[in-house]
Amino acid sequence: MKVAFIQTSPEFGRIEENVESVLRNIRSPGLRGVDLIVLPELFSTGYQFKSKRECLALAERVPEGYASGKLIEAALRNKFHIVFGIAEREGGKTYNSAALAGPGGFIGVYRKAHLFCNEKKIFSPGNTPFKVYSAGKAKVGMMVCFDWFFPEAARALAVKGADIICHPSNLVLPYCPEAMVTRCIENRVFAITANRVGVENRRRGERLKFIGTSEIISPKGEIMRRASRNRVQVGVVSINPKDARDKRITPLNHIFRDRRKDMY
Ligand code: ACM
C-alpha cells in the first residue's frame, strides 16, 4: 500500500487557489498509484481566522461544500482514499474537522477534540468520538494537530483497531515531529502527519510560523519520510498495514493487554 502526505503552503482565504494547488499535486507523477493521501489541517482556508464570523463565512458544510466536493471527486476518479483538514460549518457553529473520502465517495468526518489556543475563540470543540474506518487494506483513524498532545487520542484510535493514524496538522510548536515517534511506538501504529509551511500574521501580536516537517512514521518508530521545514513537498512511502497489528513487544508483553487499568 502506498501512502502519502502533501505538505502545503495555503494562502489565507483563497479557497479556490488552495484547492487547485492540491489538485495539481494529486495529478503529479509522484502521486500516481497512491492509495492514501493525507492533507494538512484547514487545507483550503488557511489557519488564522480573525473572528468566528470570518470563520463562518469561509467554512463549508461537509461533504456538500466546494473543497470537500473537489476532493471527493478526486478520490472517486483516482480510486484512492484521502484525509483532509477542513473548516466545517454546521448551523451557526464551526468545527476544525478532518474528513475521509474514498473510491466510493464520502466516508466520515472527525471534529477536532482538543482545540489549541485561540482556536477556542473560533471553533466549537469536537463532538465526534474517535472512530476507525476501513480504507482499502488498512484501518485508519483521524486526529487533528494538537490532539497529539493528548496521548489518549492516539491510544483510543489504536485500541479501536487503527493501523494508520491520519493526522492533518498546522503545527507551530516544535515538539510534535519527535513526539509522534513515541505515539507510534507506544501504540504500534503508523502515523501520517501532514503539516503546512509558511507564515500567517493576521492578528496583532500573533505571528504564526508553521514548521513543516510532515512525516510518515512506522509502528517501530522509524521515520520513513520527513519533509523540510519550509518547502511545499510530497512524501510517499510503501507500507504493509499488517505491521501495525502485532501488539506484542516481547513474547510476554502486549501493549494493550498489559495495561494496568486498575491502577490508572
Ligand atoms: C494546532 O493544533 N493547529 C497547533
Side-chain angles (χ1 to χ4, degrees):
M1 177 175 186
K2 268 168 84 174
V3 301
F5 60 73
I6 303 179
Q7 176 163 291
T8 62
S9 183
E11 285 203 44
F12 187 88
R14 302 185 74 104
I15 292 176
E16 287 186 21
E17 288 88 337
N18 296 333
V19 170
E20 184 47 42
S21 160
V22 162
L23 292 177
R24 260 198 312 277
N25 269 306
I26 285 174
R27 289 191 292 266
S28 69
L31 283 184
R32 202 158 292 150
V34 82
D35 300 294
L36 172 67
I37 300 174
V38 182
L39 299 183
E41 180 181 11
L42 300 170
F43 93 96
S44 58
T45 54
Y47 180 79
Q48 197 180 33
F49 296 96
K50 284 186 176 162
S51 66
K52 208 168 205 154
R53 181 195 291 208
E54 183 181 57
C55 185
L56 264 173
L58 289 168
E60 65 179 52
R61 285 176 50 80
V62 177
E64 298 87 354
Y66 170 80
S68 302
K70 289 287 185 188
L71 294 187
I72 292 167
E73 200 180 292
L76 285 167
R77 188 163 358 102
N78 298 291
K79 304 201 176 348
F80 55 50
H81 286 82
I82 188 160
V83 172
F84 52 97
I86 186 95
E88 182 190 2
R89 174 163 52 79
E90 190 192 55
K93 290 187 174 173
T94 55
Y95 297 95
N96 185 343
S97 297
L100 170 66
F106 173 69
I107 296 174
V109 71
Y110 160 73
R111 295 169 170 167
K112 185 175 185 177
H114 305 97
L115 297 174
F116 178 68
C117 199
N118 287 327
E119 289 174 30
K120 292 191 174 192
K121 300 177 188 161
I122 305 289
F123 297 104
S124 296
N127 53 7
T128 49
F130 292 99
K131 187 171 169 182
V132 169
Y133 299 90
S134 288
K137 294 197 180 90
K139 301 268 190 221
V140 302
M142 296 180 275
M143 62 183 202
V144 176
C145 204
F146 192 53
D147 281 332
W148 77 264
F149 225 109
F150 301 82
E152 295 90 342
R155 174 54 57 99
L157 290 171
V159 167
K160 290 179 181 189
D163 303 316
I164 307 172
I165 293 180
C166 301
H167 185 209
S169 296
N170 273 191
L171 297 163
V172 289
L173 301 178
Y175 319 117
C176 178
E178 293 309 318
M180 283 308 289
V181 172
T182 302
R183 289 291 98 78
C184 289
I185 294 170
E186 70 198 5
N187 291 299
R188 276 277 168 113
V189 290
F190 293 93
I192 307 170
T193 297
N195 194 25
R196 59 163 290 179
V197 296
V199 171
E200 286 189 8
N201 198 7
R202 306 187 68 251
R203 286 161 74 128
R204 193 187 284 271
E206 197 196 319
R207 181 180 185 273
L208 298 176
K209 176 158 173 40
F210 301 96
I211 68 164
T213 331
S214 299
E215 61 185 14
I216 301 172
I217 309 288
S218 81
K220 293 192 171 163
E222 297 141 332
I223 300 165
M224 304 180 86
R225 188 82 164 79
R226 187 178 266 178
S228 78
R229 298 181 68 80
N230 47 27
R231 270 181 300 121
V232 171
Q233 231 173 318
V234 166
V236 186
V237 162
S238 287
I239 66 161
N240 185 349
K242 286 193 188 141
D243 291 347
R245 293 181 194 164
D246 181 2
K247 303 297 185 185
R248 283 169 305 180
I249 304 302
T250 74
L252 298 182
N253 292 104
H254 185 283
I255 52 173
F256 296 158
R257 289 186 212 128
D258 280 6
R259 283 184 300 158
R260 290 294 308 274
K261 287 193 257 180
D262 56 320
M263 293 178 70
Y264 304 147

